[in-house]
Amino acid sequence: MRDTGDVADGGHKNNKSEKDQSWIPKIFKKRICTTFVEDSFSNGALCQCGGTRDTHASVALGDFFSTAIVNHWDSAQHSSEYPTDAFGELQFAGASKRHSYFLRLSWDTPPSMVYTLMTAHWGLPAPNLVVSVVGGEGRTKVKTWVREVIRQGLVKASQSTGAWIFTPGLREGVGRCVGEAVRDHATAASSLSLSKVVALGVAPWGLVHNRQQLVNEQGSFPAKYYVQNITRDSCCLDNNYQAFLLVDDGSMGRRGGETGFRAKLEDYISHQRTGIWGSGSIDIPVLCMLVSGDATLLERIDLSLKSSMPWLVLAGSGGTADFLSDIVKNLSLAPVVQSSGEGDSEAGPSVDLKDRVAERVRKYFPSEVETDKLVERALSIYQNKDLITIYHGEQEGPNDFDTVLLKALVGASKQRVSVDHSPYNEELKLAVTWNRVDIAKSELFNGDIQWRYEDLEDSMTDALVNDKPQFVRLFTENGLNILDYLTYGRLESLYRSVADGTLLYQLLQRRLMERLGTPSPMPESPGKSAAGNIHSGPVSELSLFEVSRVLELLMGDVCQPFYYAPLDLEQITSKRRAMRRASKLLRGDCLYREKRCLYPWASLFIWAVLQNRSEMATFFWEMTGESVLSALSGCKILRELSKLETETETKLSMKEMAQKFENLAHDVFSSCYRSNESRSFTLLIRKSPVWCGTTCLQMGMSADARLFFSHDGVQSLLSQIWWGDMKRNTEVWKLLLTFFCPVLCYTNLISFRTPEENPQEKNFNPSEDPVGRDNSLYGTTVFSFSDIKHIEADSQGLYTPRTATIRGRPLAPRAPARPFIVSRWRQFWFAPVTSFLGNVLMYFLFLLLFAYVLLVDFKPPPPSGPAITELVLYFWVFTMVCEEIRETFFLGTKTLRQRLRVYIQDVWNKCDLTAIVLFIIGLICRMFNWSYEFGREVLCVDYMVFTLRLIHIFAIHKQLGPKIIIVGKMMKDVFFFLFFLGVWLMAYGIANQALLYSYDPRPDRIFRRVFYRPYLHIFGQIPVEEMDVGKDWDMPCTSNVTLIDAGAEPCRITKSNWLVVILLVVYLLVTNILLINLLIAMFSYTFNEVQANSDIYWKFQRYNLIVQYHSRPSLAPPFIFLSHINLFIKRNIRKVSSVKIHHFVLQLKGKTANRLMTWETIQKEEFLSTQSKIQKSSDSERLKRMSTTVDGVMKYLTEGRDFDHRLRTLENEMEYCSSALSWIVDTLAQGGTFKPPRPPPNLRDSFIPSS
């Protein structure tokens, strides 16, 4: 560990970075020239490496004979490796606060180690594209249009694709232009996600100015780098680059030492995979871009082309770029003319081609001596011209540069793909990698190409894993069958691709460790782990069982476990048995992974929601069936995830996304309700096979979807269920009168609903399948006991009277109808509102009886008591306990643990449990003389609890219900107020007691005077005589300590009474004025805030009350024991199944379920269509469309320039053909014996590029 003084900004972070990178000198090396090879141009003063004699080893300096023989310096032979002494972080003094990474390394360092260092340790994001800018170095003046191409074309396209840009990284030439462009785009980016482009400098170490500032054997964190005269070009490092690789070949002041390493690094990266942890479908595309350059670059270009590396040449930028554009374009257009016209002699056209190339070499490189080598290089490059793309920046402009890059890479990839592959596969994979759906739509999915499923499969996986929903939509619309694509095995692979550090990854890991029986590791910080770590270890064993466990954690008991069917765990209820069975299955062949996923869109929707991918999840929601329930399920999952998430930003995004799905559920259901009220009711209670047997109402309640429950359609359904067969406009006094005089139910006092025709059956189409219409239950919704009976009959193949009447066919045999007396009796007494009314009335009688016993008839313990009324009270409470037991243990189909959990979660159930426990304690204690008074006190408190239970009963009332919600919210304000009040009360009470009485050991008096008396001061009860010594106090007192210990009243202290009065004034000022008004302000704020939403809250809580009384027997305690006896006989003796066991649940199968789902899908599509029209009519969308149109016009104008160039070339060709034909005519006219009057014509300026 080096001294902290070596660190510029010392501290924990720097020490940590130093420790993390202390291994770098052991792996990466530098090079130092150890052999002096005399440079003939320096008169023996310098070595060919650029160093002086003094910088070389003494052994090399003494070997004068060897220096006379060796005439060419070679880095591999004449330099040695040593541990690198320049690495770490780089801070540009006075230029930028952002640190850059740098490393001095030998030219023969393996590129794999460098790439791992950059991605895994430096934290650079893996590239989707690498553009290596070659040429334009030194003092070369960069043309203005080249600057614009780099700024508006290259860097902008790289930013949209997430690219790395390689340049020398120095403040000169093209490197400086790239740095400035990267800086400008990073500054203009609206968020960090838009600034993805990474500029990397690969420069020769010996060329960097002020490089000694970077040298530190133990690393620099950071190194201060000073740059002089930053306005002029120099070989200083550019502060706009994220990282620098300083390649050392042992030379100083020489260019080109990094060329070999840079080519190897580019080749290595081109064999790595794109995407998250290499999950992409293609290798990282690497493109070399040539800007001007000298003749020495021809060797680099030739070697690179032979390894199939594509090149983009900026024609017109000067030097080598102009030379290559001339060779590639004009040699391919020129006709090959034989050098001899004698017979069939084969004068080689290659000789003519070589001459033409030599002519151009002399034209573009007049100062070069060894032209033969350049010609051979140029001919070798010409053989690979298909890998070269010529870009005329002056003519085409920089706007479509990303398309140019794509086509250049595609053109190169087509040379490498096999014949069996589609020629457009590589172009598609590149478009997916860059997330350029606009290019894919315009170039690949315009209707000209017939895509196969095999062509889209890998790209679909890439789009899913790397969160590219627009491509997922595009593939789905163009031939990818999701049923064939999504198998259970592929779904597992999608879950394995979840990014580490995320909440979902940690949840899956925890469940996986539980199944494997190993302790769950501590979650690492979400960030920078090595690229290969994600699929190492037990993560590769992740299965659908872990996914099911995570969903069970989030969804709770609202639905059955997911993915138990493919794992063959449907019949297992115990979690331990299921885990053992799953472990045994997963150790086998796992044949289920080859099966198709039963509900692919819903599975993908869950996968996207769990990862908080908003746009992706929205698209999958649009594609999945049961849109209302799916939206509510997404809302439920996200709200549960937000409770577990620790990062504030992610938590807020989850809550916003949950609200978005609740709004979608509300809006789609609104569309359904407007279309058909009866079908929408069926939609709410339909049991979903996709979501494991739950319903919209159950999921909405579990997801706390208050906005959804406040919808008029949901409330209308709840009201119809609440009133049963009675009309909803029935007055309460009529119910009360009929309740006390049941005979009135047979009169017209109460109006009952008559069976109405279904709305969809009124518009019956005779052309529809009549068999399918028989099974339709669109309009049959569970409103009452009789409705459930009808549905049971329909499900057994029987016809209801309404369907038989409409179709005009006779009734099928069914159970005989009950007499009018029985049916009307059941219609009245089995309605939930009647049950509620009976319970309310009997509960009031129970409270009256309880009060009478406590106040009048509470007898002593046995044998004197209890009285008859008290025994009746005991029996009454016993029947209430029986009903609580029935609701908890004998209602529903859930397991015992699930029922207990649901019961305890309800606040009012806790209140009931508290009241019953207190009553039992009071009952037991009052039976004994020693605890009689305590038992009576407990019963008095218990009466208060029973009375408070009335609040829940009146929550059903439309006016009282919202006010109860407001009171509940205000109770939280009261607790906050009591905290502040308690602080002041304790401060004043203790000080006041100590100032008034010097000694008072009795705890009861201390408690009263410290807490109780100051509390009464707030309400104006101030004992002035006791506190003010100026007043007479007739209380006998003493100052004798012995008498005070015996219980006598101590006398007051008179000396400090003035301070007591001051404290009293201050205390009353704070409490009565400040705190009380604070409480009033808090109440006012809460009221105003909750008042707007109190109606929504009340409608939401109303559901639980309706469900509770819908499942209750019609008789109230204490007569409910008769209903319990009846239920026991029916269930255990007569074996009659319960009709209300699945309250609010309707099972639909076959065509009925399909038609309901189709109708819901149609309503969803209409809703989305309406939303799309609204969005398209907005001003922003209009401006966007206008901008696209203008861009298209500009594109056509640009293409017109290319047409003009082609027309000029065609004119030259036509002129040549015309001259040749004239010569042929003249020759034939003269005959074979005469010499032609003029020589054959030549194609003028055919190789000269048009200006």
Side-chain angles (χ1 to χ4, degrees), residues 1223-1243:
W1223 178 79
I1224 293 173
V1225 171
D1226 292 342
T1227 303
L1228 292 176
Q1230 296 295 335
T1233 59
F1234 296 95
K1235 188 177 180 180
R1238 57 188 174 87
N1242 293 323
L1243 180 60

Side-chain angles (χ1 to χ4, degrees), residues 160-203:
S160 64
T161 56
W164 286 3
I165 301 179
F166 284 171
T167 73
L170 303 178
R171 298 187 62 83
E172 61 176 13
V174 174
R176 180 167 187 166
C177 296
V178 172
E180 292 173 350
V182 170
R183 176 199 62 198
D184 295 342
H185 279 277
T187 304
S190 59
S191 65
L192 293 176
S193 61
L194 296 178
S195 181
K196 298 178 182 178
V197 61
V198 176
L200 292 172
V202 184

